[in-house]
């Protein structure tokens, strides 16, 4: 997206820009949409736990060739699902607000095209894809090259400005709709949302200080910052954990904490022993609550590290943000959209939803100039100062906690891995039951011959269906001249070794051949037909010599000629092996091709190899060799 005048995207970050598709009322439309997006998607975003940074739209004024737009960048870190959730949000925003067209990219560029790489048109490549891929009215659109650009490649003429692209998109949106296979590949990656959000959570019991429990009640999303602080700790960070000043271990209670699966895996897989001076001790690994104690200890270290890096913040900083007219309009819109689900004001569920809405508003809706950015540690200390902690109430709640989620998903079996690879592969792979699958060996042979017959380009070999339909022309005269140069029809072009071999070959001919070398004039020219006939005679002689060797016997001959070969062999047992009347049976090219492919595929032993890679790229999937006796083609 550098083509629209922006800096490159940071690693592990996704960038999104929403433009007004038409110029009329563009700025007013963008500001209305910004507030509408905040209200429309608040129920989803308020409950979501981001790995590092939230989804946040900001109004960006026009700059150079880039018109005004709503934009933002979200750092997703190790959780790539955050990036695809952003893709889902951007698509839904363009569906809810048809006047917006959206672009989205990351440090890999147009990563949406990477997802659908197998179905892209030949003209589309990283050099000319800038400002051509958009979400518009909830669908993926690709602006093609003009006919003149397709015929004569000119990189400088391929790039569009954003204004040009938006004009084309608004006037010809139906024509620029991406092909169905491309859209299917991209939409499959974001399928399952918003239900998928709940499936990405993992709830686990943790033995935590009461202060952390109270903070997480107010801001559940702070668990991500604490896990990241512990996960990326260094010796300097651990100095603050020698003597806990903020979260002492004396007042710990059992609670249930909601993680994302990525955060939970990062926390549980870390091997860590606390400093003895910290006061955090763990029971024996055989203790039934060992995991809860260990998780709580690690999470407490993360919270302590965050607080050790913060500055003192006034408790009124958050209240100032939540007291302006923008907050009042936002809260009123949430009530109109039934965000609180009929809960009575002041109830526990109402307070929980309100806290999430406040958190979302503060992090994602407020303008930068309306508040001071605070670090997670600052927010934690502010919440500790403004939140009443009732230890006895927390202990009563700990006595009746809901069960934690099963974490068996952390263990990946070989069968699970195979299933994941199949799901990530081509949709053309059917059920693994061989009885339900039909493999046509003729299709295998035809596909391979079609692949070999295609002409490759400087970019590599092309699959049979991806190359053009132009036929390869054959110039007989050029071919004859090429053979003439190779075989050396003119005597002066032959070196001494060639002449010796020629003489030896002539002497081995039948006595009935009346070839008189003396009558052959040196300056006599050989016609193309005579040259081709001589070449055929050479080839026939080679076939006769190889027919009775291991090389000749290694090929499968055609079915019709099998008996004739045996008969000819038996009849000529007492005759000269080079006799002219020996009938040679043609080799069954297709059968030998399939047999060799199957033998090579069997030698791969289920692993990736040249045979499976080439065949799968052509859409041909061979069955597994269940009997392990080797793949052998049978007639």
């Amino acid at each position: 997206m550098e083509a629209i005048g922006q800096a490159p995207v940071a690693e592990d970050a996704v960038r999104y820009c929403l433009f007004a598709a038409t110029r009329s009322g563009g700025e007013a439309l963008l500001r209305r949409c910004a507030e509408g997006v905040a209200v429309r998607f608040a129920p989803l975003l308020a409950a979501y736990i981001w790995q590092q940074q939230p989804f946040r739209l900001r109004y960006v004024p026009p700059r150079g060739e880039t018109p005004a737009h709503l934009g933002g960048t979200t750092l997703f870190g190790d959780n790539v699902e955050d990036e695809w959730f952003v893709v889902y949000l951007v698509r839904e925003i363009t569906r809810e607000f048809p006047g917006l067209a959206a672009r989205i990219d990351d440090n890999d560029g147009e990563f949406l095209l990477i997802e659908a790489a197998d179905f892209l048109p030949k003209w589309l490549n990283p050099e000319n894809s800038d400002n051509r891929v958009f979400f518009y009215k909830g669908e993926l659109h690709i602006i093609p090259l003009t006919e003149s650009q397709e015929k004569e490649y000119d990189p400088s003429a391929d790039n569009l400005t954003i204004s040009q692209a938006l004009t084309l998109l608004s006037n010809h949106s139906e024509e620029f709709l991406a092909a169905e296979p491309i859209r299917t590949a991209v939409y499959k990656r974001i399928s399952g949302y918003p239900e998928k959000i709940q499936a990405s959570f993992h709830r686990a019991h943790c033995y935590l200080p009461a202060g952390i429990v109270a903070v997480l009640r107010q801001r559940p999303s702070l668990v991500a910052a604490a896990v990241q602080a512990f996960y990326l700790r260094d010796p300097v960070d651990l100095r603050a954990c020698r003597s806990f000043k903020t979260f002492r271990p004396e007042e710990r209670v059992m609670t249930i904490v909601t993680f994302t699966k990525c955060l939970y895996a990062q926390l549980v897989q870390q091997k860590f022993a606390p400093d003895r001076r910290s006061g955090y001790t763990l029971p024996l690994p055989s203790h039934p609550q060992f995991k809860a104690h260990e998780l709580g200890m690690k999470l407490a270290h993360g919270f302590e590290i965050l607080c050790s890096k913060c500055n003192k913040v006034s408790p009124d900083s958050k209240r100032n943000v939540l007291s302006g007219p923008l907050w009042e309009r936002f809260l009123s819109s949430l009530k109109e959209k039934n965000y609180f689900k009929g809960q009575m004001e002041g109830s526990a569920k109402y307070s929980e939803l309100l806290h999430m809405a406040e958190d979302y508003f503060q992090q994602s809706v407020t303008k930068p100039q309306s508040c001071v950015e605070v670090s997670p540690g600052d927010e934690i200390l502010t919440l500790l100062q403004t939140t009443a902690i009732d230890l006895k109430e927390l202990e009563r709640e700990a006595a009746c906690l809901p069960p934690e989620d099963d974490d068996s998903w952390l263990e990946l079996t070989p069968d699970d891995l195979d299933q994941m690879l199949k799901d990530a592969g081509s949709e053309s792979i059917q059920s693994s039951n061989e009885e339900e699958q039909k493999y046509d060996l003729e299709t295998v042979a035809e596909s391979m011959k079609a692949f070999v017959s295609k002409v490759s380009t400087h970019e590599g070999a092309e699959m049979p269906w991806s190359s053009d339909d132009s036929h390869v022309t054959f110039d007989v005269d050029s071919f004859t001249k090429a053979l003439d140069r190779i075989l050396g029809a003119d005597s002066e072009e032959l070196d001494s070794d060639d002449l010796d071999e020629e003489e030896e070959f002539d002497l081995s001919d039948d006595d009935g051949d009346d070839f008189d070398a003396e009558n052959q004039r040196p300056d006599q020219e050989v016609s193309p037909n005579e040259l081709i006939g001589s070449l055929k005679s050479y080839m026939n002689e080679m076939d006769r010599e190889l027919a009775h060797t291991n090389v000749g016997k290694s090929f499968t001959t055609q079915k019709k000629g099998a008996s004739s070969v045996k008969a000819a062999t038996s009849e000529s047992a007492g005759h000269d092996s080079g006799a002219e009347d020996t009938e040679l049976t043609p080799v069954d090219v297709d059968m030998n091709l399939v047999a060799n492919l199957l033998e090579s595929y069997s030698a791969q032993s289920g692993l990736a190899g040249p045979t499976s890679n080439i065949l799968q790229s052509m859409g041909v999937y061979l069955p597994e060799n269940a009997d392990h006796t080797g793949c052998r083609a049978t007639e």
Side-chain angles (χ1 to χ4, degrees), residues 107-129:
N107 62 300
D108 291 325
E110 300 288 352
F111 67 95
L112 298 181
L113 298 183
I114 298 175
E115 196 69 20
D118 292 337
F119 311 104
L120 297 180
K122 291 181 61 177
W123 63 264
L124 190 58
N125 55 60
E127 287 74 25
N128 61 17
S129 62

Side-chain angles (χ1 to χ4, degrees), residues 18-30 32 67-68 97-101 136-137 162-163 165-172:
L18 292 92
F19 302 90
T22 58
R23 294 183 179 181
S24 58
E27 182 176 348
L29 172 65
L30 291 174
R32 287 197 307 270
F97 303 91
L100 296 179
Y136 184 54
K137 297 181 179 179
I162 281 293
S163 298
L166 294 175
T167 301
L168 290 171
L169 190 63
S170 60
N171 295 333
H172 308 279

Side-chain angles (χ1 to χ4, degrees), residues 209-211 213-215 217 251 253 384 387-398:
V213 177
V215 167
R217 293 281 180 87
E251 296 181 348
V253 295
L384 288 175
T387 303
I389 301 175
D390 190 344
L391 183 59
K392 293 183 178 180
E393 179 63 24
L394 294 177
E395 291 176 347
R396 285 195 296 268
E397 293 177 359

Side-chain angles (χ1 to χ4, degrees), residues 19-60:
F19 302 90
T22 58
R23 294 183 179 181
S24 58
E27 182 176 348
L29 172 65
L30 291 174
R31 294 191 182 277
R32 287 197 307 270
C33 289
E35 187 171 339
V37 167
V39 176
R40 165 62 179 82
F41 296 96
L44 292 181
L45 295 173
Y48 195 81
I49 299 177
W50 298 93
Q51 182 78 8
Q52 290 194 21
Q53 291 180 347
F55 177 82
R56 180 184 302 173
L57 288 176
R58 293 283 185 262
Y59 175 78
V60 181

Side-chain angles (χ1 to χ4, degrees), residues 82-93:
D82 281 5
E83 180 177 33
W84 289 105
F85 181 47
V86 170
V87 175
Y88 165 78
L89 290 172
V90 169
R91 183 194 178 193
E92 291 302 309
I93 290 172

Side-chain angles (χ1 to χ4, degrees), residues 122-248:
K122 291 181 61 177
W123 63 264
L124 190 58
N125 55 60
E127 287 74 25
N128 61 17
S129 62
D130 287 325
N131 302 333
R132 294 188 180 275
V133 184
F134 289 87
F135 275 114
Y136 184 54
K137 297 181 179 179
E139 297 291 347
L140 186 67
H141 292 71
I142 299 178
I143 301 176
L145 296 175
T146 62
E147 294 183 3
S148 60
Q149 289 173 340
E150 288 188 14
K151 292 179 181 178
E152 186 175 354
Y153 180 72
D154 183 6
S156 61
D158 291 341
N159 295 327
L160 290 173
T161 65
I162 281 293
S163 298
Q164 293 172 338
L166 294 175
T167 301
L168 290 171
L169 190 63
S170 60
N171 295 333
H172 308 279
S173 61
E174 295 182 359
E175 300 176 17
F176 299 159
L177 188 65
E180 184 177 354
I182 299 177
R183 287 181 288 140
T184 300
V186 174
Y187 297 164
K188 181 182 177 182
R189 192 64 179 81
I190 58 177
S191 62
Y193 286 107
E195 295 79 8
K196 195 175 180 179
I197 295 175
Q198 292 299 321
S200 67
F201 290 154
H202 182 89
R203 298 163 184 84
H205 290 171
C206 295
Y207 195 51
L208 287 170
I212 296 179
V213 177
V215 167
L216 290 177
R217 293 281 180 87
Q218 299 286 327
R219 281 208 42 201
S221 61
L222 280 172
V223 68
V227 171
Q228 289 298 300
F230 176 76
Y231 187 72
L232 302 175
R233 66 192 181 278
D234 56 31
V236 177
D237 294 334
L238 292 178
R239 291 178 184 174
C241 300
R242 294 175 182 173
S243 57
F244 277 70
K245 298 180 179 179
T246 308
F247 301 106
R248 299 294 303 167

Side-chain angles (χ1 to χ4, degrees), residues 143 270-271 336 456 532:
I143 301 176
Q270 287 278 299
K271 303 298 182 183
E336 293 176 1
S456 63
I532 295 177

